[in-house]
Amino acid sequence: MDYDLSAIVTPYVTDYIREKTTHKNKLLLELEEYAKENKVPIAEPETARLVSVLTKLVRPKKILEVGSAIGYSAIIMSEGLACDGKIITLEYDPETVKIACKNVERAGLSDTITVVEADAKDYLSYIDDDESFDMIFLDGPKAHYLFMLDDAVRLLKKGGLLVSDNILFKGMTADDGHFARRKVTIITRLREYIDALMAHPQLETSILSQGDGVTLSVKTVSNKERFGG
Ligand SMILES: C[S@@+](CC[C@H](N)C(=O)[O-])C[C@H]1O[C@@H](n2cnc3c(N)ncnc32)[C@H](O)[C@@H]1O
């Protein structure tokens, strides 16, 4: 089988979708340009738009993001927050944290978005249950999603939305004959993550071949309904 490593869907379809998915926000355009020039991995335009639309549907009071990079997706999600809503976004690279903070400040969102310098897996495990979130966007270390899932579900409110990006990893997750050997760990973990999402007793999940692959999981069963207490 021949593969195009640059896209999950046919490239001309992706091109068409991207051509249509434009916006006029100057700062976001600048961040997209910066990301391109400096090879910073930010959400693909169509995924960024999906996340933007979802946020506006959910109208979350609290969002948790894993993987801030330069603050691009956090700034996009802020538009959909409920009144006085807040975003906590986690980033472990200190230099990237500085850039994200600067961009959040430039967007006038310092009171809304908190960029926390932390390893997401550790940070999640320290947050108390009552710090629950209406939406969680996992867009950090792909090989660690699996190990963050229990905490992500624990911290999500019933009815809340968990969005996980890059789960198809340029299509490699979906086919045994199609991945570079050096990617074996990440692909294996992503497959296990998808299996865990699909089998999770508290989630209902849809897998989208959007951008680099996105899962949308709604929490249908609360922690109390599952565990009692
Ligand atoms: C794909 S980028 C995030 C893009 C961003 N969400 C956007 O679309 O604008 C992933 C980010 O996760 C960060 N990261 C990787 N491992 C991490 C970890 N264990 N904890 C926190 N952040 C991590 C990387 O430094 C990188 O900036």
Side-chain angles (χ1 to χ4, degrees):
M1 201 187 296
D2 287 334
Y3 295 98
D4 183 318
L5 292 177
S6 65
I8 293 168
V9 293
T10 316
Y12 79 88
V13 176
T14 301
D15 289 347
Y16 177 78
I17 295 171
R18 287 191 183 167
E19 193 189 302
K20 298 290 165 193
T21 312
T22 54
H23 61 81
K24 294 192 172 72
N25 182 307
K26 268 191 181 165
L27 178 61
L28 292 175
L29 287 169
E30 193 191 307
L31 297 190
E32 286 168 8
E33 206 49 47
Y34 177 93
K36 211 179 194 174
E37 275 169 22
N38 295 279
K39 297 194 178 1
V40 178
I42 59 168
E44 274 96 355
E46 61 273 28
T47 304
R49 178 61 61 87
L50 174 71
V51 169
S52 171
V53 169
L54 288 170
T55 315
K56 284 169 181 149
L57 279 172
V58 175
R59 286 278 166 207
K61 265 199 169 320
K62 282 177 74 181
I63 299 177
L64 177 69
E65 178 181 56
V66 170
S68 326
I70 55 175
Y72 175 75
S73 50
I75 292 171
I76 287 176
M77 289 191 289
S78 71
E79 288 178 13
L81 284 170
C83 187
D84 294 329
K86 304 280 180 214
I87 299 178
I88 297 176
T89 178
L90 311 175
E91 172 58 56
Y92 78 164
D93 178 61
E95 286 311 309
T96 308
V97 169
K98 279 185 204 156
I99 299 170
C101 287
K102 209 176 102 203
N103 289 330
V104 165
E105 200 181 317
R106 289 177 65 205
L109 292 167
S110 299
D111 291 339
T112 304
I113 300 174
T114 307
V115 185
V116 179
E117 184 186 326
D119 182 302
K121 192 173 157 295
D122 295 342
Y123 191 89
L124 257 58
S125 68
Y126 293 133
I127 308 179
D128 285 343
D129 289 3
D130 57 2
E131 288 258 352
S132 50
F133 295 88
D134 308 285
M135 182 167 164
I136 298 180
F137 182 36
L138 285 190
D139 193 21
K142 318 306 163 202
H144 296 181
Y145 285 1
L146 184 64
F147 310 120
M148 296 183 197
L149 182 59
D150 282 351
D151 281 317
V153 175
R154 177 178 65 82
L155 295 170
L156 199 61
K157 284 184 187 155
K158 184 177 177 183
L161 180 67
L162 169 66
V163 181
S164 314
D165 195 11
N166 308 103
I167 45 94
L168 293 177
F169 209 65
K170 304 194 187 309
M172 292 187 233
T173 311
D175 183 11
D176 276 343
H178 170 50
F179 59 78
R181 281 184 74 83
R182 65 196 157 82
K183 303 282 186 201
V184 66
T185 304
I186 191 164
I187 298 305
T188 306
R189 296 255 179 87
L190 279 170
R191 288 176 178 181
E192 288 170 357
Y193 179 67
I194 290 174
D195 289 346
L197 281 179
M198 300 314 275
H200 202 288
Q202 289 175 272
L203 300 176
E204 182 174 343
T205 296
S206 170
I207 307 171
L208 305 182
S209 54
Q210 161 98 18
D212 197 24
V214 182
T215 49
L216 307 183
S217 310
V218 64
K219 182 166 171 179
T220 52
V221 176
S222 71
N223 300 341
K224 199 171 166 189
E225 284 165 337
R226 182 177 177 198
F227 298 111

